[in-house]
Amino acid sequence: MFYGRRQITKIICIFLCLGLLTGCNGLSDLSLEALQTNSEDDGFTSLGLTPEFNYEVPVSLPNILIDQVGYAQDSNKVAIIQGEMLPDTFTIMEADTGTVVYTGEIEPKDYDETTGVYISYGDFTDFNTPGEYYIQAAMIGQSYPFEISKNPYGQLFHVVLKQYYYNRCGQTLSSELAGEAAHNACHVREAQMKEEASIRLDVTGGWHMDKVGTRDVVRGCQTVNSLLLAYELYPDMFNDDVGIPESGNDIPDILDEVKYEIDWLLKMQDAKSGAVYASVSSVDNKATGYILYIDGITMDATIQFAASMAKFSYLYQNYDRTFATQCLKASDRAYRYAQKYLEDVSPEEYFYAATELYRATGASGYHTVIKSYLTQNPVTGMDNDFIFWGCVTYLSTKQRVDVDLCSDVIKVLMQEVEQISYSSKNSKLLVNADKGQSNNEELLHELSRLTVVDHIITNHEYATVLENHLHYMLGRNLQSVSYLDEAGSRNYKDIDETMGIMNRIDLNAEFVLMLSAILDGERAEE
């Protein structure tokens, strides 16, 4: 049946009215009699209900995913595009004017089983003109803005390094150096032993590990290890102008920052035994304010203290031999204490401490421990940080080593890295991320292994994998979220404070290691 335009208009109006009524209370609650009564009135009779609009507007995310900080001019530059129906081309637009400056082809799409979406690529590696841009494609929309420049990550590198200064405990942070993070010295009172309140110690200093000001020896040592490894592999990347109180003293600021934690760690060692207390925590007290408690001695804290102190001593001796010697003596005392209770000491942590002390001293007793461990426990993987750190230190020592054991370690390290590289390249996202983007910690651990091997053999393939992970963490992911502070249009702080990398100082240290390798590689190509 054909309806005229007026009839169609009447029908639409009737349905709209019914829809409005249904939205208020449902058609079943209205009788025909009630409708007839209302139609006889000159005015509209309200049902007396107030509509409520209680719903969340879904977040609209771009389907063109890019590194929201940017790309180095001569680097590989790829945008990830999600969607099943795609045009043939994409365009790069100048951010200020909307002018098209580049047109590229979209590479064929493919379905990604892990994420459940179709993923394609827009490669613009050959576009190197510096500037601010965004990418646009028909039916898809546009990306967040990004930059192309000679060194887009230089400022970010300083921000990442300075995070440790912001976490300093027991020191006044000036507004000149800390900006909005400035505050008066905190947690400066003496702390009391949790098990014996009459024993009080000065344990000021160190880095906060969380918002309540906890300072932890194990996490502090692990952070120190990664930062020192970054400095050891890429010393030229670290200068003396990060913007901390020690800047300008002719010592790389990364070593000054690590020393701030080292000074605190020395306070955590028991003067009599050489053992090390585990942590310091702050508890609010309504009557007296806060109370600082020192957790008791643990073997994890003691043996990891020994390893980190020896590592710092070895790398710091050229700047202050007296202090480096003090740290080495403290390391040896902790190690000797741990030797008395080996049944409570992790063999992997004991092995790592021995490698650092052997490199620093050359004493044969430490070498015996290293060879014994590697012989009785052939290395089959690098998942354990202490095995990884210990093997890297043993490979880099100038002391005499067992060549056969070193060869075995190198083979395992190479196999591990090849697997990381393979799984990353075969992921549609170009990184081996899980479906919920919840394995960033695992990715950073893997990349620390890749960084070391890339330093040894300078492999272009490994460098590309490292860069892809940097792009991923700066927004080229399905949630379009940047996991770094002060970076990107859609930052993790706007979504969930727990998602960040820089608010975990141990993860931030591994990111420093990765970023050092990337920036060093970019500089080498200039």
Side-chain angles (χ1 to χ4, degrees):
M1 180 180 295
F2 178 81
Y3 291 96
R5 181 177 297 177
R6 290 187 177 180
Q7 289 175 302
I8 293 174
T9 303
K10 288 182 179 179
I11 293 171
I12 291 174
C13 289
I14 291 171
F15 276 107
L16 284 174
C17 290
L18 290 176
L20 288 172
L21 293 170
T22 304
C24 291
N25 208 19
L27 284 174
S28 59
D29 296 328
L30 296 171
S31 65
L32 180 60
E33 187 176 27
L35 287 173
Q36 290 173 338
T37 301
N38 287 338
S39 64
E40 294 173 357
D41 294 338
D42 293 333
F44 175 73
T45 302
S46 170
L47 295 180
L49 300 177
T50 302
E52 294 184 7
F53 301 98
N54 186 19
Y55 61 90
E56 293 184 4
V57 178
V59 177
S60 178
L61 298 178
N63 288 316
I64 302 177
L65 314 174
I66 47 85
D67 181 326
Q68 294 168 27
V69 170
Y71 300 84
Q73 282 178 265
D74 297 321
S75 68
N76 294 325
K77 295 180 282 292
V78 176
I80 290 178
I81 303 172
Q82 59 173 330
E84 186 173 1
M85 301 295 292
L86 299 177
D88 295 328
T89 62
F90 68 93
T91 55
I92 297 179
M93 320 289 287
E94 198 170 54
D96 290 339
T97 65
T99 304
V100 176
V101 294
Y102 180 89
T103 300
E105 293 184 359
I106 295 178
E107 297 180 23
K109 64 180 180 295
D110 200 357
Y111 184 74
D112 181 38
E113 295 287 349
T114 302
T115 58
V117 298
Y118 285 88
I119 291 178
S120 302
Y121 306 110
D123 192 320
F124 54 106
T125 299
D126 58 338
F127 180 69
N128 295 309
T129 305
E132 296 279 345
Y133 306 100
Y134 62 88
I135 296 176
Q136 185 170 287
M139 302 185 293
I140 299 299
Q142 65 185 48
S143 72
Y144 283 120
F146 63 92
E147 172 189 5
I148 294 179
S149 67
K150 185 177 181 180
N151 182 15
Y153 308 116
Q155 185 59 39
L156 176 63
F157 191 49
H158 271 199
V159 172
V160 172
L161 286 175
K162 201 167 180 178
Q163 188 71 11
Y164 296 96
Y165 170 64
Y166 299 144
N167 279 317
R168 286 189 184 185
C169 183
Q171 183 179 84
T172 296
L173 305 189
S174 69
S175 57
E176 178 185 1
L177 296 178
E180 295 181 357
H183 60 75
N184 292 326
C186 57
H187 303 131
V188 293
R189 298 177 181 177
E190 282 191 330
Q192 65 186 51
M193 296 298 300
K194 185 173 288 188
E195 298 175 354
E196 182 54 67
S198 62
I199 301 177
R200 296 177 177 271
L201 298 173
D202 170 23
V203 287
T204 54
W207 295 320
H208 289 156
M209 301 290 165
D210 53 35
K211 291 184 177 180
V212 296
T214 303
R215 285 159 287 158
D216 185 86
V217 168
V218 167
R219 286 186 63 193
C221 286
Q222 292 172 358
T223 302
V224 162
N225 296 340
S226 292
L227 291 176
L228 291 180
L229 181 56
Y231 171 75
E232 185 176 352
L233 296 181
Y234 305 102
D236 294 339
M237 289 306 307
F238 301 95
N239 51 36
D240 191 24
D241 62 357
V242 171
I244 60 176
E246 298 83 0
S247 293
N249 64 356
D250 295 327
I251 298 175
D253 281 346
I254 190 173
L255 292 184
D256 285 324
E257 194 58 67
V258 169
K259 184 179 181 297
Y260 192 83
E261 178 75 359
I262 292 292
D263 287 337
W264 173 74
L265 288 172
L266 287 170
K267 294 179 180 180
M268 295 295 286
Q269 184 172 38
D270 180 59
K272 294 182 180 179
S273 66
V276 179
Y277 302 112
S279 62
V280 179
S281 56
S282 175
V283 178
D284 288 332
N285 185 291
K286 293 181 179 180
T288 61
Y290 67 87
I291 300 176
L292 296 177
Y293 290 104
I294 302 174
D295 285 311
I297 289 166
T298 68
M299 298 314 300
D300 280 342
T302 300
I303 196 62
Q304 291 192 42
F305 171 99
S308 298
M309 281 292 168
K311 189 176 190 69
F312 178 79
S313 172
Y314 177 79
L315 295 173
Y316 200 68
Q317 58 185 323
N318 292 332
Y319 297 99
D320 187 339
R321 184 171 292 274
T322 299
F323 186 73
T325 300
Q326 178 187 346
C327 292
L328 187 59
K329 289 180 178 179
S331 168
D332 184 65
R333 292 185 65 229
Y335 185 86
R336 291 181 184 280
Y337 179 88
Q339 281 183 314
K340 300 175 184 178
Y341 306 96
L342 284 182
E343 66 276 7
D344 298 322
V345 177
S346 159
E348 291 75 23
E349 294 175 18
Y350 189 58
F351 158 74
Y352 173 48
T355 64
E356 293 294 356
L357 278 159
Y358 179 57
R359 182 171 67 162
T361 67
S364 60
Y366 301 126
H367 198 201
T368 299
V369 172
I370 296 168
K371 291 188 291 184
S372 175
Y373 178 83
L374 291 177
T375 301
Q376 297 177 24
N377 306 276
V379 177
T380 58
M382 293 288 170
D383 291 341
N384 184 286
D385 279 339
F386 303 105
I387 293 176
F388 168 65
W389 289 328
C391 287
V392 171
T393 297
Y394 190 54
L395 291 175
S396 63
T397 183
K398 297 178 181 178
Q399 311 292 352
R400 180 177 296 180
V401 298
D402 186 309
V403 176
D404 291 335
L405 290 176
C406 284
S407 297
D408 293 340
V409 166
I410 290 175
K411 289 179 183 177
V412 173
L413 190 56
M414 290 296 297
Q415 290 172 356
E416 187 98 356
V417 166
E418 276 296 309
Q419 181 56 46
I420 293 170
S421 178
Y422 175 82
S423 60
S424 297
K425 289 187 301 179
N426 282 275
S427 168
K428 301 294 189 304
L429 288 175
L430 305 178
V431 301
N432 195 27
D434 62 18
K435 187 172 183 178
Q437 294 185 196
S438 59
N439 66 332
N440 288 345
E441 182 172 352
E442 178 185 338
L443 292 178
L444 285 169
H445 289 345
E446 290 179 348
L447 293 173
S448 63
R449 281 68 173 159
L450 188 65
T451 299
V452 169
V453 174
D454 181 59
H455 175 78
I456 296 172
I457 65 175
T458 315
N459 186 305
H460 178 72
E461 179 181 300
Y462 295 160
T464 299
V465 173
L466 287 170
E467 286 185 355
N468 284 332
H469 281 79
L470 176 62
H471 298 324
Y472 170 84
M473 291 174 183
L474 290 173
R476 201 178 70 181
N477 53 68
L478 294 180
Q479 294 184 33
S480 293
V481 58
S482 169
Y483 294 102
L484 276 293
D485 294 16
E486 300 181 30
S489 300
R490 177 173 157 83
N491 195 268
Y492 79 94
K493 287 187 175 181
D494 301 325
I495 307 166
D496 183 349
E497 284 279 353
T498 66
M499 294 171 64
I501 291 173
M502 291 166 63
N503 56 20
R504 281 276 306 273
I505 66 170
D506 45 350
L507 295 187
N508 193 61
E510 292 186 321
F511 187 81
V512 168
L513 177 59
M514 181 185 78
L515 192 53
S516 300
I518 292 171
L519 292 176
D520 185 72
E522 289 178 352
R523 188 175 58 180
E525 293 176 1
E526 293 177 1

